[in-house]
Amino acid sequence: MADFIAGQLKDRVRIRPTVYSQFALFSEQQVADLLQMAIGSHGDSRDYMGRQVLRAPDAVKSIVAESDVINRLAAEHGLVFRPDNEALLLYYQKSNWVPLHLDDQLEYEFNLLTMLRRVKASEASRTATYFWGADGEFMATDLRVGESVFFHASYTPHGRPPLPEGEEVVLLAVGMGRPRE
């Protein structure tokens, strides 16, 4: 099965998951501000695919725009994105998870995940975001606060296993799509 999926995806995946070091895309202050907004808005989130999701408030979108992260990613990866990106806040707590899935290519083909909060029950914890690459290999990214991963979300299966007792994750997800023809 892994070989079949790898064969199907091989020619389609343009961007392998790229991890950006702590505060490389958003400053330490921006991450702190994003987290405060995420905490303040958590009550408005809804259950979706095993975790809590919230369409980001305008103040979050302002920080994304201020950081110029979308233009920086486009230039670095040789891509052009539509101006209508989507920002979501993703909340995971005990037993929350998301199955391996692909994002909707017609909406947002690429995704940037940035860790805003990471509480581990122990140092041995490995509740990372997992990616199934076009080469058939798995990649796990256990991001620290302020780290980000950019990937081709409509062609790279990705997900997160259930969090154990005492763990918590808050992520900013920014979806980007190419111009429609």
Side-chain angles (χ1 to χ4, degrees):
M1 183 61 144
D3 290 338
F4 172 76
I5 291 174
Q8 293 297 308
L9 300 176
K10 182 172 62 175
D11 296 329
R12 296 182 180 137
V13 177
R14 299 179 132 218
I15 307 297
R16 292 183 57 95
T18 304
V19 177
Y20 291 88
S21 62
Q22 197 170 32
F23 310 119
L25 297 180
F26 294 98
S27 71
E28 190 170 358
Q29 185 59 55
Q30 287 172 322
V31 170
D33 292 345
L34 288 164
L35 176 60
Q36 288 302 348
M37 288 179 230
I39 290 170
S41 301
H42 190 183
D44 297 328
S45 64
R46 63 182 175 86
D47 287 328
Y48 181 70
M49 284 183 68
R51 81 264 204 224
Q52 297 285 306
V53 176
L54 175 68
R55 192 170 298 255
D58 288 341
V60 168
K61 293 178 184 179
S62 292
I63 291 176
V64 171
E66 171 188 307
S67 72
D68 201 35
V69 69
I70 294 170
N71 290 330
R72 290 165 51 198
L73 291 170
E76 181 177 333
H77 295 284
L79 298 167
V80 175
F81 297 124
R82 298 188 315 262
D84 65 330
N85 61 72
E86 177 68 71
L88 300 171
L89 296 168
L90 310 176
Y91 305 89
Y92 296 84
Q93 294 178 328
K94 179 184 179 266
S95 301
N96 289 166
W97 65 292
V98 65
L100 281 176
H101 67 283
L102 296 172
D103 292 356
D104 183 353
Q105 179 179 356
L106 297 177
E107 289 296 318
Y108 302 103
E109 187 175 353
F110 298 90
N111 199 342
L112 174 71
L113 296 176
T114 300
M115 184 65 70
L116 302 181
R117 180 177 170 95
R118 178 74 166 106
V119 176
K120 292 184 175 187
S122 74
E123 279 306 307
S125 174
R126 293 297 298 164
T127 59
T129 300
Y130 288 88
F131 301 94
W132 192 337
D135 54 8
E137 294 182 15
F138 277 103
M139 173 182 161
T141 58
D142 188 9
L143 300 173
R144 295 180 304 157
V145 170
E147 289 182 326
S148 302
V149 61
F150 176 70
F151 60 102
H152 200 167
S154 64
Y155 287 110
T156 305
H158 55 285
R160 178 177 283 279
L163 270 66
E165 180 76 42
E167 297 213 11
E168 181 183 350
V169 169
V170 179
L171 293 163
L172 167 66
V174 179
M176 294 154 270
R178 291 191 242 205
R180 293 187 175 109
E181 295 177 9

